[in-house]
Amino acid sequence: MAKIEIDMSELLEYGTKLKDKKRIDTLMRDSTKAIGKFFRDDVESRTPVKTGRLRESWSKDNPFVVVKTGSTYEIEHENQAFNPTGEGAYYASFVENGHYSVRGNWVEEQHFMYDAEAETERNAPKLVDKEVLKWKRWVDSGS
């Protein structure tokens, strides 16, 4: 699965100055979810379509769960694309990385997840800025 690392230290520093840990946590979780949603939507649009099963495995029905460990926020999103025991398209990693077919021919890799991960990292600062602006409006409104 993709691992996208974003330096949010400035955001944490800004939030610490405000001394409102609950609001800081909300902002960090919302920012993390925005990054996760961007990745999911981008990888879904890049996923090759042969039968449609692989693309459909990027389910929007499963909500994101943000897990905080120390000062790190991570997204957990159950995806059937990597579940060999589930009903989903468990072969996503083979499409991503390439594989040998049953006839012995090499099937070229697609890199749909790698490309989506790189695109998400490029867009993450904008996504966080957007969440910060929403959050600032929320704080300024006295909520």
Side-chain angles (χ1 to χ4, degrees):
M1 203 57 176
K3 183 172 183 171
I4 300 166
E5 295 185 20
I6 308 298
D7 180 7
M8 295 172 121
S9 57
E10 287 182 38
L11 185 58
L12 281 171
E13 185 179 321
Y14 172 71
T16 303
K17 289 178 184 176
L18 297 176
K19 297 187 182 353
D20 187 339
K21 292 185 188 235
K22 186 175 181 183
R23 287 188 176 180
I24 296 164
D25 185 63
T26 300
L27 172 60
M28 296 301 288
R29 288 177 184 278
D30 289 349
S31 297
T32 304
K33 284 180 186 177
I35 292 166
K37 182 183 180 315
F38 182 92
F39 173 79
R40 184 197 55 212
D41 292 348
D42 192 45
V43 76
E44 181 181 24
S45 69
R46 292 172 186 271
T47 301
V49 178
K50 189 169 187 178
T51 65
R53 189 170 179 212
L54 184 57
R55 184 172 281 181
E56 289 169 4
S57 68
W58 296 102
S59 174
K60 292 182 179 167
D61 296 334
N62 296 330
F64 290 117
V65 176
V66 177
V67 177
K68 181 181 178 192
T69 307
S71 62
T72 301
Y73 289 79
E74 295 179 343
I75 286 204
E76 290 182 359
H77 178 67
E78 188 173 315
N79 186 331
Q80 294 299 315
F82 293 94
N83 184 358
T85 60
E87 295 297 316
Y90 62 87
Y91 51 87
S93 61
F94 299 111
V95 177
E96 172 74 7
N97 300 312
H99 61 93
Y100 284 101
S101 71
V102 292
R103 295 186 178 153
N105 300 335
W106 178 252
V107 178
E108 289 296 319
E109 61 275 359
Q110 300 285 326
H111 293 302
F112 59 99
M113 290 185 291
Y114 175 80
D115 293 343
E117 180 180 346
E119 186 67 19
T120 302
E121 285 191 12
R122 277 192 295 277
N123 281 280
K126 288 184 243 172
L127 297 167
V128 172
D129 286 348
K130 186 176 177 182
E131 289 302 314
V132 168
L133 288 175
K134 277 198 254 181
W135 185 74
K136 284 175 98 174
R137 276 185 248 139
W138 178 61
V139 169
D140 292 344
S141 72
S143 296

